[in-house]
């Protein structure tokens, strides 16, 4: 089992398939994607080899992310290849929900088991102001179809002071909607320091409010994501809080990241990624890749330094995958 020097075990891999995105979320890519052509990103064969190696090291869950993964035309092939790997129990995808109603059936057929969809507001006008797209209804319709196909669906919402920190519309929605909505504290990145200062609000404040209103904490699974989750007997849905600024957030870290260019990131906020792409080529034995990853993981730091405004190599989260 892949383990670091602090005894943390890595059950969970976030695998980015592209940096490209078509949305312009205010906290991520407010000026839209400005990068390289798509053909530089890892091929389905390279992604499959990465997933195979991690599965052999004990990884049980893989999340495909980006950028916007749905922009890759070969996404169904990527899902299919990874779904066939022994040991991968959960194959999840994070998406902005673009054209979700048209695409979700093919992804489900290829073997996707879990879907995370980003929705920062249930108000169509505000959704458009945040993302640059008038597509809230389409995204909500896609979620319903995904649920009818048996996929486990979670919604990601970046918690922003003065934008969506009044929870009333979300709570009303969760009363009858069986999804888990995870509030993510907005994180500071090199591109978004001013936005962060203006809009960061601690998830701890939301937690206190939930506990006071009768919400109760759910126990975490070993391959679970970073959220603290809460349930309430009167609500169909659950609420999760992802609080990277909270004390001891990194102590329970169970995940690693590989970027769409084949860089292993030991932390979202590490100073640089380690290039594993040479090991992904067909002529290189998979044991060499496993050996390289196992060695590099020993260099994982105990914690990030976000509190000191050090956000590492990443200019925005589309580059490594949030
Ligand atoms: N494009 C897809 C999406 O938006 O779901 C996947 C990639 S996106 C980088 C993954 C997640 O990171 C999204 O839920 C997004 O809201 C979140 N995110 C992006 N920038 C962030 C920031 N600065 N702080 C907190 N969360 C952020
Ligand atoms: Fe694109 Fe996702 Fe970033 Fe929004 S959060 S700009 S959808 S990568």
């Amino acid at each position: 089992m892949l383990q670091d020097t602090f005894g943390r075990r890595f059950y969970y891999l976030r695998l980015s398939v592209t940096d490209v995105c078509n949305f312009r979320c205010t906290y991520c890519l407010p000026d839209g994607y400005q990068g390289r052509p798509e053909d530089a990103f890892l091929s389905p064969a390279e992604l499959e080899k990465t997933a195979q190696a991690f599965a052999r090291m004990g990884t049980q869950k893989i999340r495909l992310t980006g950028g916007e993964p749905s922009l890759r035309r070969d996404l169904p092939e990527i899902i299919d290849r990874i779904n066939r790997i022994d040991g991968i129990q959960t194959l999840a995808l994070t998406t902005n929900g673009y054209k979700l109603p048209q695409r979700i059936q093919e992804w489900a057929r290829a073997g996707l088991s879990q879907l995370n969809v980003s929705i920062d507001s249930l108000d169509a006008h505000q959704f458009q102001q945040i993302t640059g797209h008038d597509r809230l209804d389409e995204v909500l319709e896609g979620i319903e179809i995904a649920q009818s196909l048996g996929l486990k669906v979670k919604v990601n919402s970046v918690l922003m002071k003065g934008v969506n920190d009044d929870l009333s519309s979300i709570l009303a929605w969760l009363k009858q909607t069986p999804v888990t909505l995870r509030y993510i504290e907005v994180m500071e990145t090199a591109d978004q320091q001013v936005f962060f200062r203006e809009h960061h609000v601690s998830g701890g404040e939301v937690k206190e409010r939930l506990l006071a209103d009768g919400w109760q904490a759910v126990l975490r699974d070993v391959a679970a994501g970073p959220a603290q989750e809460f349930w309430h007997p009167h609500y169909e849905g659950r609420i999760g809080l992802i609080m990277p600024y909270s004390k001891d957030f990194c102590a329970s870290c169970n995940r690693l990241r590989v970027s769409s260019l084949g860089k292993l990131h030991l932390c979202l906020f590490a100073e640089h990624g380690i290039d594993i792409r040479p090991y992904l080529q067909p002529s290189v034995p998979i044991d060499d890749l496993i050996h390289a990853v196992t060695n590099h993981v020993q260099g994982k730091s105990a914690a990030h330094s976000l509190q000191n405004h050090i956000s590492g190599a990443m200019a925005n989260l589309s580059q490594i995958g949030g």
Side-chain angles (χ1 to χ4, degrees), residues 2-107:
L2 190 55
Q3 184 171 324
D4 72 3
T5 54
F6 303 97
R8 293 175 296 192
R9 295 177 165 195
F10 300 102
Y11 295 97
Y12 182 3
L13 174 69
R14 295 199 179 191
L15 189 52
S16 178
V17 299
T18 181
D19 287 5
V20 180
C21 189
N22 53 342
F23 278 26
R24 297 189 297 274
C25 298
T26 44
Y27 47 81
C28 184
L29 293 174
D31 302 320
Y33 175 72
Q34 318 270 333
R36 298 172 304 266
E38 196 169 349
D39 61 6
F41 301 128
L42 294 181
S43 68
E46 289 172 314
L47 291 162
E48 182 182 6
K49 187 168 178 184
T50 307
Q52 268 165 347
F54 274 84
R56 293 221 337 227
M57 291 184 277
T59 292
Q60 299 171 0
K61 175 174 175 180
I62 293 187
R63 170 175 305 287
L64 302 175
T65 183
E68 177 47 38
S70 66
L71 296 181
R72 273 196 69 156
R73 288 202 193 89
D74 52 4
L75 186 62
E77 179 190 346
I78 295 167
I79 294 171
D80 180 57
R81 282 180 179 239
I82 296 178
N83 180 48
R84 291 171 191 277
I85 296 172
D86 280 346
I88 301 302
Q89 296 164 12
T90 306
L91 178 53
L93 174 81
T94 304
T95 174
N96 60 24
Y98 177 75
K99 295 203 175 163
L100 189 57
Q102 291 93 315
R103 291 172 167 163
I104 186 63
Q105 301 189 19
E106 197 178 1
W107 301 343

Side-chain angles (χ1 to χ4, degrees), residues 36-314:
R36 298 172 304 266
E38 196 169 349
D39 61 6
F41 301 128
L42 294 181
S43 68
E46 289 172 314
L47 291 162
E48 182 182 6
K49 187 168 178 184
T50 307
Q52 268 165 347
F54 274 84
R56 293 221 337 227
M57 291 184 277
T59 292
Q60 299 171 0
K61 175 174 175 180
I62 293 187
R63 170 175 305 287
L64 302 175
T65 183
E68 177 47 38
S70 66
L71 296 181
R72 273 196 69 156
R73 288 202 193 89
D74 52 4
L75 186 62
E77 179 190 346
I78 295 167
I79 294 171
D80 180 57
R81 282 180 179 239
I82 296 178
N83 180 48
R84 291 171 191 277
I85 296 172
D86 280 346
I88 301 302
Q89 296 164 12
T90 306
L91 178 53
L93 174 81
T94 304
T95 174
N96 60 24
Y98 177 75
K99 295 203 175 163
L100 189 57
Q102 291 93 315
R103 291 172 167 163
I104 186 63
Q105 301 189 19
E106 197 178 1
W107 301 343
R109 261 200 309 277
L112 193 70
S113 47
Q114 190 179 305
L115 188 74
N116 283 33
V117 186
S118 297
I119 301 180
D120 299 318
S121 173
L122 288 172
D123 174 87
H125 179 65
Q126 192 176 49
F127 181 95
Q128 177 173 21
Q129 283 182 325
I130 295 170
T131 63
H133 282 256
D134 182 12
R135 291 184 178 271
L136 177 65
D137 287 347
E138 172 185 281
V139 177
L140 292 172
E141 186 195 339
I143 288 177
E144 274 184 30
I145 300 173
Q147 287 185 314
S148 72
L149 294 168
L151 273 88
K152 192 168 160 198
V153 179
K154 294 187 180 179
V155 171
N156 287 346
S157 211
V158 175
L159 183 63
M160 292 172 274
K161 184 158 63 188
V163 179
N164 62 359
D165 55 342
D166 163 20
L167 311 188
S168 49
S169 58
I170 288 293
L171 288 172
W173 187 61
L174 290 177
K175 229 173 185 154
Q176 72 275 349
T177 313
V179 298
T180 299
L181 179 129
R182 292 124 41 96
Y183 277 118
I184 309 171
E185 277 183 16
V186 64
M187 292 174 248
E188 181 171 357
T189 61
D191 282 355
Q192 293 306 340
Q193 290 165 347
V194 175
F195 187 95
F196 172 80
R197 275 200 299 278
E198 288 175 353
H199 295 292
H200 180 260
V201 50
S202 161
E205 293 175 26
V206 176
K207 181 175 172 177
E208 278 174 27
R209 181 174 158 189
L210 293 176
L211 292 174
D213 288 347
W215 290 78
Q216 295 166 44
V218 177
L219 287 179
R220 279 180 102 241
D221 178 72
V222 286
Q228 290 182 31
E229 280 192 11
F230 300 85
W231 69 279
H232 192 292
H234 300 149
Y235 287 76
E236 291 288 326
R238 291 182 171 191
I239 295 188
L241 296 173
I242 300 178
M243 300 185 282
Y245 290 86
S246 65
K247 191 172 156 293
D248 292 338
F249 179 76
C250 302
S252 60
C253 184
N254 60 358
R255 70 211 79 105
L256 295 168
R257 294 179 156 82
V258 172
S259 77
S260 58
L261 295 174
K263 297 252 170 57
L264 171 69
H265 289 263
L266 302 176
C267 171
L268 188 52
F269 301 103
E271 278 308 322
H272 48 257
I274 300 147
D275 192 10
I276 58 167
R277 199 162 196 175
Y279 296 99
L280 303 182
Q281 305 321 305
S283 57
V284 180
I286 195 162
D287 285 341
D288 291 8
L289 171 58
I290 291 173
H291 189 66
V293 171
T294 308
N295 277 344
H296 286 309
V297 162
Q298 306 317 308
K300 183 169 161 83
S301 311
H304 64 61
S305 301
L306 270 180
Q307 294 83 347
N308 303 324
H309 305 282
I310 297 171
S311 52
M314 179 193 51

